[in-house]
Amino acid sequence: MKNIKYKVSILLVSFALFTSCGDDYFDVNTPSGTATDEQITMGDLLGPVIHSTMEGQYSAELVFGNYTQYFVSQGGVAAGRTEASGLWSQIYLRVLPNLSVVKEKAEASNSIHYKAVAEILEAINMGIATDTWDNVPYSEAALEVENVTPIFDSQEAVYTDIFNLLDDAISLLKQTDNSDFQFGKGDLIYGGDTDKWLRLAYTIKARYQLHLVNKGVVTANEVLTSINNGFTSNDDNFQMFYSDKNINPWYSVEVVAKSTGNFHHDICEQLVSSMNGDYYPFTSGTVEIDPRLPVFADNGGEEEWKGYVSGGEGNAPDGTSANTGFAENTFFTSIDSPLVLITYAEAMFIKAEASFLANGGTTTSSGTTAEGYNAYLDGIKASMEQYDVDGTDYLNDASVAVTESALQLKHIMKEKYIHNFLNPETFVDFRRYDFSADVFEGLELRVENGETDTEFSGQWFRRADYPASERNRNPANVQENEKEPTDAVWWDE
């Protein structure tokens, strides 16, 4: 029997952290010490995998949100190079080992829906892994103690595997599962609703296909085929809620830590200026700010909203003191707020972008199809609904309702940027369009003030360094694959 003590210890940590999230999965007694894989069910492992997947997304965003200028470190500090070691640990120490067992059990019991969900989660985790580090361990990553120095697979190969995983999951979820193990236990997101998992698989596939359109590997029409089978409403949003006993990590840092004088983040001017009328002036006279801005940020009740310049030592763009911090006790920063992976609104912005590109659109051209323009508007409506604000006046303003013939890529990407606040997917969007100010209005490189890595002055960060733990354990393979943090990943070359 295979001994999986390390897997059980991960499970115990997850139980300790999340004993009151309202799912029966958390209301079990876990044996102490070691356990064999026969004693652990697929549902026992699925919950911790989902939890670690979401915590990995949060860990990545702690740096990538600074790169995309959603926020700055306290007082305006721009982030330098990163190892994203928290994400690496979640994927390689927690997610992949447990998914390996889930898939083994699913194969043995012909539990095709558990297998499908495991494949979707594997695709999600390998997707953010390769988008973060480029070449990464994958084909040999599940060998565990049998091979502690796995080779690194190319990003191109990992993307091929991601699509294979998703296609197989889609096929399995369309079939009836006749096994003795009804899917549902451990599903912290959809409570066993396989139709929602099927729509997730299509939406995730469209997200990763979109990454490859500018590379010429996938067509925009292929993206549209996938997204048209994807999410249909905000009810499909993939998000994991916390509780008053197991608190949301953004609440922990941006509310609790800040209130006690400890490290926190401040809101960056790129986000604020995209929402307060500076970059996209409102014209109707009925809109002063994007109604989502107070959900994300707080300006202390001052008349003007002035975000922090990235690296600007506490200044706003006009040279005065910035005044925007995280809003407290709102969508992202309440004690029981969710972490969000992908939403219906993002799906609509994927559809809008793909339609624009399929119509021959470029970074500076105007005009799209009726389908693309309606997807753009539907994405905004879904975003307003998700954040529980009234977007009627905003949607009617000429700066937003630009018409089908005048729609530009920058309008779509502005709305996607705003909606995907605190989502590491935005770092992919910035790199796909080479940090272009034509696409992301007003975007400028961080201010160089000696606090960030000066050796990369004048350059955007495009990837993470491999973690020190991997360099120590697997030095030959790391050295063969490592590049500078300003070097493009494969799909960005």
Side-chain angles (χ1 to χ4, degrees), residues 149-414:
T149 57
I151 63 168
F152 284 46
D153 297 87
S154 70
Q155 184 172 71
E156 183 176 9
V158 173
Y159 260 77
T160 297
D161 288 330
I162 287 170
F163 294 132
N164 287 339
L165 287 167
L166 293 171
D167 286 342
D168 191 55
I170 288 167
S171 175
L172 294 174
L173 287 169
K174 289 180 177 179
Q175 301 175 39
T176 301
D177 189 331
N178 294 315
S179 72
D180 294 330
F181 298 91
Q182 183 177 357
F183 173 71
K185 183 181 180 184
D187 181 1
L188 308 182
I189 310 299
Y190 297 136
D193 189 330
T194 53
D195 288 338
K196 290 187 176 182
W197 280 100
L198 177 60
R199 291 193 290 272
L200 171 69
Y202 276 114
T203 306
I204 291 293
K205 182 178 180 180
R207 176 193 264 189
Y208 283 98
Q209 286 176 315
L210 188 61
H211 296 177
L212 304 185
V213 170
N214 291 339
K215 183 73 173 175
V217 176
V218 175
T219 68
N221 282 318
E222 288 176 293
V223 179
L224 290 173
T225 298
S226 296
I227 205 63
N228 284 335
N229 290 289
F231 286 172
T232 58
S233 74
N234 278 331
D235 289 339
D236 291 333
N237 291 352
F238 193 101
Q239 53 191 3
M240 185 183 74
F241 286 86
Y242 288 76
S243 73
D244 58 356
K245 292 184 179 179
N246 310 291
I247 64 177
N248 175 281
W250 291 112
Y251 169 83
S252 178
V253 174
E254 310 308 341
V255 178
V256 177
K258 183 178 180 180
S259 69
T260 55
N262 290 303
F263 175 84
H264 60 276
H265 301 93
D266 292 308
I267 299 297
C268 195
E269 65 86 18
Q270 180 64 29
L271 179 68
V272 174
S273 295
S274 297
M275 301 180 76
N276 69 356
D278 284 351
Y279 291 164
Y280 296 85
F282 301 113
T283 62
S284 63
T286 61
V287 181
E288 294 184 358
I289 60 169
D290 186 316
R292 293 166 292 188
L293 182 54
V295 177
F296 304 159
D298 179 84
N299 70 345
E302 295 186 25
E303 182 176 352
E304 292 185 70
W305 290 81
K306 298 190 292 185
Y308 284 76
V309 172
S310 179
E313 300 181 326
N315 289 329
D318 63 3
T320 63
S321 296
N323 63 8
T324 50
F326 270 75
E328 297 185 6
N329 301 311
T330 58
F331 182 88
F332 289 103
T333 56
S334 293
I335 195 170
D336 57 353
S337 289
L339 291 181
V340 181
L341 190 144
I342 193 168
T343 63
Y344 172 63
E346 182 186 335
M348 290 300 95
F349 295 131
I350 289 172
K351 184 174 183 177
E353 182 186 349
S355 296
F356 183 88
L357 297 175
N359 194 50
T362 68
T363 56
T364 57
S365 67
S366 300
T368 189
T369 62
E371 180 184 41
Y373 186 65
N374 288 332
Y376 160 76
L377 294 177
D378 287 344
I380 300 171
K381 293 172 185 176
S383 181
M384 297 296 175
E385 178 185 290
Q386 177 179 319
Y387 294 125
D388 195 25
V389 296
D390 184 353
T392 305
D393 290 341
Y394 181 86
L395 277 156
N396 289 331
D397 193 275
S399 67
V400 177
V402 295
T403 76
E404 180 182 323
S405 62
L407 186 72
Q408 293 185 293
L409 188 62
K410 68 178 183 179
H411 298 120
I412 300 169
M413 300 310 291
K414 181 258 286 190

Side-chain angles (χ1 to χ4, degrees), residues 10-33:
I10 292 166
L11 187 62
L12 285 168
V13 170
S14 297
F15 284 147
L17 288 172
F18 288 89
T19 55
S20 59
C21 283
D23 192 291
D24 291 340
Y25 154 74
F26 290 117
D27 297 326
V28 300
N29 294 318
T30 306
S32 61

